[in-house]
Amino acid sequence: KSCGFMLVVGGPGCGKTRLACNIIRELGDRDALYVRQAELTLALRASYGRKDVVLHRHPQRDDDEATDDQPPTALEIVQGVRFLVLDEIGCNPLANDERLLLDELIKHRYEQRKPTILISNLPLDQLKQFLGDALTDRIVDATGNRKFLLQFSGESFRRTTGENYLEGLR
């Protein structure tokens, strides 16, 4: 569907990222992006010196109508992409500025009803502590009140398969 979130939690190596990457592959050439939380927060921090960073998505412009030579910011890219997979949520602690940016990103995608998969190795109670009550409430609502909340369990498959399922997605 063209809206809603899927929240996928469970231990490392049990197939969460593989599932999300397979969904991206099924979308074909549609506008989709896979990014890890730490990678995203580093990219957002790198944009701090730019004066055009805003916490909302600008309306789409044709290239001919663009009034500046600046490429879109990392925040604009992840807010605007049609389908986003945000992986490894909670693997690294967030500074206050990083928490604010992650919060704004998830709120924006929630309000714009953009399909988003959120992946974490944290159990649900720890993820709620990491994200906070308000953001967790939005995510639960966007998952259809847990209809699209998947909890993976079991041993890690990573060591036995030798597959690189991220290949071609970056």
Side-chain angles (χ1 to χ4, degrees), residues 71-89:
T73 65
L75 185 59
E76 289 175 328
I77 290 169
V78 292
Q79 284 178 333
V81 70
R82 183 181 157 277
F83 186 89
L84 177 67
V85 175
L86 183 57
D87 198 357
E88 297 183 2
I89 296 174

Side-chain angles (χ1 to χ4, degrees), residues 9-53:
V9 297
C14 59
K16 302 177 305 291
T17 301
R18 182 181 186 102
L19 172 65
C21 290
N22 286 341
I23 292 170
I24 289 175
R25 281 192 183 89
E26 285 296 315
L27 293 172
D29 62 353
R30 295 190 185 148
D31 189 18
L33 176 67
Y34 167 89
V35 66
R36 292 184 309 270
Q37 175 203 303
E39 184 180 29
L40 176 60
T41 53
L42 286 173
L44 292 171
R45 277 191 164 212
S47 69
Y48 281 3
R50 290 188 53 183
K51 294 181 175 155
D52 61 337
V53 175

Side-chain angles (χ1 to χ4, degrees), residues 50-63:
R50 290 188 53 183
K51 294 181 175 155
D52 61 337
V53 175
V54 292
L55 294 177
H56 64 278
R57 176 76 176 155
H58 291 292
Q60 292 286 7
R61 298 178 300 207
D62 291 334
D63 288 337

Side-chain angles (χ1 to χ4, degrees), residues 37-39 41-42 45 88-100 102 122 129-131:
Q37 175 203 303
E39 184 180 29
T41 53
L42 286 173
R45 277 191 164 212
E88 297 183 2
I89 296 174
C91 285
N92 300 305
L94 295 176
N96 287 339
D97 59 333
E98 295 169 330
R99 180 170 301 286
L100 174 66
L102 181 64
L122 296 175
Q129 288 177 347
F130 181 80
L131 294 172

Side-chain angles (χ1 to χ4, degrees), residues 1-5 81-85 109 113-117:
K1 297 210 174 198
S2 63
C3 64
F5 283 29
V81 70
R82 183 181 157 277
F83 186 89
L84 177 67
V85 175
R109 295 193 65 84
R113 302 176 49 86
K114 293 196 172 206
T116 306
I117 296 178

